[in-house]
């Protein structure tokens, strides 16, 4: 009966999984604190997840999932960049081009150097 009921419905996707994980976090916060907003948010997130799962509007749900992926990839790229900067902190300096805002990596300990941007060929001086 459940399989027959779910025919033509959207089902689960990565945005739904993210929403469900957030609701679990909110439930845990509501258990360990006395703040009522966490339990309200948990219920709201659960309702949104069920609404998305049982929806018949495939196009809209896929658009929402695509927006989620776009923001997720942006956040992950920032995290990966910061991780790389942290790993290279002893051997490289990272600078931002003042003209095009590109990230440039130069070796540490070279003194005052002229850096040429790979994107826009702008030259600027910094101490490495």
């Amino acid at each position: 009966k459940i399989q027959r009921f779910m025919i033509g419905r959207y089902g689960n996707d990565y945005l739904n999984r993210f929403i469900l994980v957030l609701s679990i976090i909110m439930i845990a916060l509501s258990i360990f604190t006395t703040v009522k907003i966490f339990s309200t948010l948990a219920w709201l997130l659960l309702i949104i997840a069920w609404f998305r799962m049982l929806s018949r509007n495939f196009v809209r749900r896929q658009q929402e999932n695509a927006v989620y992926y776009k923001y997720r990839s942006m956040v992950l790229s920032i995290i990966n960049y910061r991780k790389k900067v942290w790993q290279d902190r002893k051997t490289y300096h990272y600078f931002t081009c003042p003209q095009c805002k590109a990230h440039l990596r130069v070796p540490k300990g070279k003194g005052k150097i002229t850096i040429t941007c790979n994107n826009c060929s702008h030259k600027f001086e910094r101490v490495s």
Side-chain angles (χ1 to χ4, degrees):
K1 288 183 179 182
I2 292 174
Q3 284 180 336
R4 194 170 39 237
F5 175 75
M6 288 302 289
I7 292 174
R9 306 212 184 253
Y10 185 66
N12 206 5
D13 63 359
Y14 288 105
L15 176 57
N16 257 14
R17 291 179 190 169
F18 178 73
I19 291 171
L20 290 172
V21 168
L22 274 181
S23 67
I24 291 170
I25 291 170
M26 292 296 159
I27 289 170
L29 287 174
S30 70
I31 290 171
F32 294 120
T33 63
T34 58
V35 181
K36 292 290 183 186
I37 190 76
F38 292 130
S39 62
T40 307
L41 284 174
W43 279 107
L44 181 67
L45 289 169
L46 285 172
I47 290 169
I48 290 171
W50 276 102
F51 171 78
R52 291 189 79 253
M53 263 191 265
L54 299 176
S55 174
R56 292 181 186 262
N57 191 350
F58 279 79
V59 175
R60 181 72 179 139
R61 301 296 86 81
Q62 287 172 344
Q63 288 172 348
E64 293 167 353
N65 200 38
V67 170
Y68 165 71
Y69 263 108
K70 183 179 91 171
Y71 285 113
R72 179 179 178 255
S73 66
M74 286 173 32
V75 169
L76 288 178
S77 69
I78 291 169
I79 290 171
N80 289 335
Y81 174 73
R82 291 292 168 196
K83 184 178 173 183
K84 184 170 177 55
V85 169
W86 179 257
Q87 288 173 346
D88 292 345
R89 71 187 181 279
K90 293 182 180 177
T91 55
Y92 293 101
H93 248 123
Y94 283 82
F95 295 105
T96 303
C97 175
Q99 193 165 353
C100 71
K101 309 298 184 212
H103 299 288
L104 306 169
R105 184 178 80 164
V106 296
K108 276 189 171 183
K110 299 293 182 183
K112 190 173 186 178
I113 58 172
T114 302
I115 303 168
T116 305
C117 178
N118 294 335
N119 290 343
C120 65
S121 300
H122 178 71
K123 294 182 180 183
F124 57 98
E125 288 188 354
R126 294 286 190 273
V127 177
S128 70

